[in-house]
Amino acid sequence: MSNETAQSQSTIDPYEYLQIIPNPDGSITRKSNLPIRPATPDHDPANNIPVLTKDIIINQSNNIWVRIFLPHHDHQPLDHQSSSNYNLKLPLIVYYHGGGFIECGPDMIAFHIFCSNMAIELQAVIVSVNYRLAPEHRLPAAYDDAVEALHWIKTSQEVWLQKYVDFSNCFLMGDSAGGNITYHVGLRAAAEVDHLLPLQIRGLILHQPFFGGVKRTDSELRLFNSANLPVCVTDLLWELSLPLGVDRNHQYSNPMVEGGSAEVLDQIKLLGWKVMVTGCDGDSLIDRQIELVKLMKQKGVQVVGHFTAGGYHGVEFEDYSKAEALFALLNKFGCSSKMAV
């Protein structure tokens, strides 16, 4: 199927699919009322919550804030636990949520549950970052906010971080648009590692990362009108999130273009960072994810790709068995700790 034939056969209204209405000033009205969950920073013996969560504002003017997920040992109040339990501090995963750059946040129930389960399964502290959304704040706003969160983490006196986190064992992770953010934040962080100390990044996890390009890939043509993530929807997401006046071959969306990430990938190689890219063949984005793995391998980066048959974009948020499989991969990747908090 040619690009033209595929586009002529598109039967989906991407605005209706995303439940958004474009406004004359370039903003959008979001019609969907995504359910959220409040943080639970205090121990409740009656509920035996295995993960405590806390929201902290980083930059109020830009609405940058984080939700910290702390796995909770034996359901005992943190202040009552023996200090010997923390001789081995926990890995830190800085997590960037998905949502096509235009919606969602750390308090959305799907992401809250996912990060809670990840904290439990890996026995790691998760810091989930809220960043500015497009089109009101186009890229690179989300990248800027994500990097600002890293600088906040390195200097923060927040007790949960100071007491329980091993700052020398940090991973950046994101899904979908968050995977794209993780990639670009990783490139920036690799160029300024000394300025992030004592925070030391060990690896990047790009889960079903969102990339694009002008020329259609085979998987995009094959899944052009997929009910899960049709290509007309990804096209609109790029239109809403990229800087005005550029196309999908911009370096923010297409890491394969000239002047993109090749030089900084050399730095990631020198730093010895590990990278994991995950995806599935039921996702129209898979070919671009595989292309990125090939590029990294060509540059000598320690990268591993995990691509499964079937599935669909975001399946781990609906099928816990798939999430468990992902957590098992993260455990092998080195993101977990045997010590429970």
Side-chain angles (χ1 to χ4, degrees), residues 138-326:
R138 292 175 174 268
L139 296 174
Y143 305 153
D144 295 341
D145 297 350
V147 171
E148 184 171 345
L150 293 183
H151 284 277
W152 173 82
I153 290 169
K154 77 163 189 175
T155 59
S156 174
Q157 296 304 305
E158 161 56 41
V159 64
W160 285 9
L161 300 182
Q162 289 296 319
K163 191 171 184 179
Y164 308 121
V165 164
D166 177 1
F167 287 93
S168 70
N169 193 16
C170 173
F171 295 84
L172 308 184
M173 177 180 178
D175 71 278
S176 192
N180 176 292
I181 292 171
T182 299
Y183 178 73
H184 286 285
V185 172
L187 296 180
R188 291 191 186 188
E192 56 167 320
V193 287
D194 291 340
H195 297 294
L196 289 173
L197 294 173
L199 195 65
Q200 296 181 45
I201 296 168
R202 299 300 183 188
L204 311 177
I205 300 113
L206 316 181
H207 177 51
Q208 296 186 332
F210 182 31
F211 293 108
V214 171
K215 184 178 179 180
R216 303 295 187 203
T217 64
D218 288 344
S219 61
E220 288 170 344
L221 294 173
R222 175 171 55 87
L223 296 166
F224 196 85
N225 284 318
S226 166
N228 175 255
L229 188 65
V231 174
C232 65
V233 169
T234 60
D235 285 354
L236 178 58
L237 292 173
W238 287 123
E239 182 182 332
L240 293 172
S241 57
L242 286 170
L244 291 171
V246 307
D247 63 22
R248 295 189 304 275
N249 277 347
H250 191 275
Q251 60 181 344
Y252 293 162
S253 53
N254 190 348
M256 310 303 292
V257 297
E258 277 190 44
S261 52
E263 289 186 7
V264 188
L265 285 177
D266 288 335
Q267 179 66 10
I268 288 178
K269 171 189 173 182
L270 291 174
L271 290 169
W273 290 4
K274 301 183 294 181
V275 180
M276 183 167 68
V277 182
T278 65
C280 63
D281 69 6
D283 182 0
S284 63
L285 303 177
I286 187 171
D287 284 355
R288 299 195 183 278
Q289 298 156 0
I290 292 173
E291 283 180 347
L292 180 61
V293 171
K294 290 179 179 178
L295 173 64
M296 289 185 173
K297 286 182 176 179
Q298 290 170 3
K299 300 299 291 185
V301 174
Q302 298 179 55
V303 60
V304 59
H306 288 282
F307 301 103
T308 59
Y312 51 87
H313 195 76
V315 64
E316 287 79 8
F317 297 99
E318 299 180 2
D319 183 343
Y320 184 65
S321 68
K322 299 296 186 182
E324 282 188 312
L326 176 61

Side-chain angles (χ1 to χ4, degrees), residues 38-55 68 70 72 75-79 81 158-160:
T40 54
D42 300 316
H43 174 69
D44 181 356
N47 291 330
N48 285 332
I49 298 173
V51 177
L52 299 182
T53 54
K54 180 189 296 187
D55 293 344
I68 304 175
L70 180 66
H72 191 33
H75 312 307
Q76 297 296 318
L78 294 174
D79 292 341
Q81 295 178 37
E158 161 56 41
V159 64
W160 285 9

Side-chain angles (χ1 to χ4, degrees), residues 54-101:
K54 180 189 296 187
D55 293 344
I56 300 176
I57 296 173
I58 295 177
N59 183 330
Q60 191 163 13
S61 63
N62 285 340
N63 194 31
I64 307 172
W65 57 274
V66 298
R67 175 164 291 184
I68 304 175
F69 296 78
L70 180 66
H72 191 33
H73 182 57
D74 289 341
H75 312 307
Q76 297 296 318
L78 294 174
D79 292 341
H80 293 177
Q81 295 178 37
S82 168
S83 60
S84 64
N85 288 340
Y86 305 103
N87 291 336
L88 177 62
K89 291 190 175 183
L90 303 180
L92 172 66
I93 299 176
V94 182
Y95 180 79
Y96 304 109
H97 66 80
F101 301 108

Side-chain angles (χ1 to χ4, degrees), residues 3-24:
N3 291 349
E4 295 77 15
T5 301
Q7 289 189 321
S8 68
Q9 292 182 357
S10 179
T11 59
I12 298 166
D13 179 348
Y15 287 95
E16 185 61 29
Y17 182 97
L18 292 169
Q19 291 290 287
I20 60 175
I21 300 172
N23 298 320

